[in-house]
């Protein structure tokens, strides 16, 4: 495979970024695989029976769902950053098209929005 053309004003090592993102993605997918396991037998216990006993379990499950959901969001973001790497648009904001500050990419390589747009998205 041909080496990607390098330019002096692009000191960010994109190959290293890609390795990092792929490693994170693999790790997230492993964790998500744990969350999406089908419920095991006995999983129905505690729901709609005795309110007192079921509540704590139900709450802890909701927390698990929340964690799983945030893992999914991270996974989507990293997958998007990898797509941009492949497309050659890595470091360009998805929303406004400006370049994302290099310091931001170094701190959070999965960033697909510039700091201004990320702020607006919250
Ligand atoms: Zn932007």
């Amino acid at each position: 495979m041909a080496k990607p053309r390098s330019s002096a004003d692009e000191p960010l090592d994109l190959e290293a970024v890609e390795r990092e993102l792929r490693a994170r993605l693999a790790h997230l997918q492993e964790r998500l695989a744990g969350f999406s396991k089908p419920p095991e037998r006995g999983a129905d216990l505690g729901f709609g029976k005795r309110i007192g006993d079921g509540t704590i379990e139900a709450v802890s499950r909701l927390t698990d769902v929340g964690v799983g959901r945030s893992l999914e969001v991270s996974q989507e973001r990293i997958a998007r950053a990898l797509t941009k790497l492949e497309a050659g648009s890595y470091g360009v904001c998805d929303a406004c098209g400006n370049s994302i500050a290099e310091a931001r990419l170094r701190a959070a390589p999965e960033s697909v929005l510039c700091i201004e747009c990320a702020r607006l998205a919250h």
Side-chain angles (χ1 to χ4, degrees):
M1 226 164 65
K3 232 182 166 324
R5 65 202 156 83
S6 58
S7 81
D9 55 2
E10 183 47 277
L12 205 61
D13 183 349
L14 292 182
E15 286 180 27
V17 167
E18 183 174 352
R19 273 196 303 273
E20 163 78 16
L21 289 176
R22 288 200 189 283
R24 284 198 200 183
L25 192 60
H27 181 69
L28 277 171
Q29 278 165 345
E30 257 171 47
R31 290 188 62 188
L32 274 168
F35 276 108
S36 55
K37 262 185 207 150
E40 314 214 335
R41 62 203 158 89
D44 288 338
L45 290 176
F47 278 112
K49 296 197 171 174
R50 281 172 307 168
I51 287 174
D53 290 350
T55 310
I56 291 167
E57 199 187 339
V59 167
S60 86
R61 257 184 225 160
L62 284 177
T63 308
D64 278 358
V65 169
V67 171
R69 181 68 202 134
S70 78
L71 287 177
E72 269 172 33
V73 170
S74 308
Q75 187 191 20
E76 280 164 21
R77 203 172 292 160
I78 293 172
R80 174 68 194 141
L82 280 166
T83 304
K84 287 168 73 67
L85 266 174
E86 277 162 25
S89 64
Y90 183 74
V92 176
C93 176
D94 259 359
C96 71
N98 288 336
S99 26
I100 302 170
E102 199 186 294
R104 175 165 166 76
L105 291 174
R106 288 190 195 278
E110 75 280 15
S111 300
V112 297
L113 293 175
C114 72
I115 197 138
E116 297 301 326
C117 293
R119 215 175 269 155
L120 289 174
H122 277 291

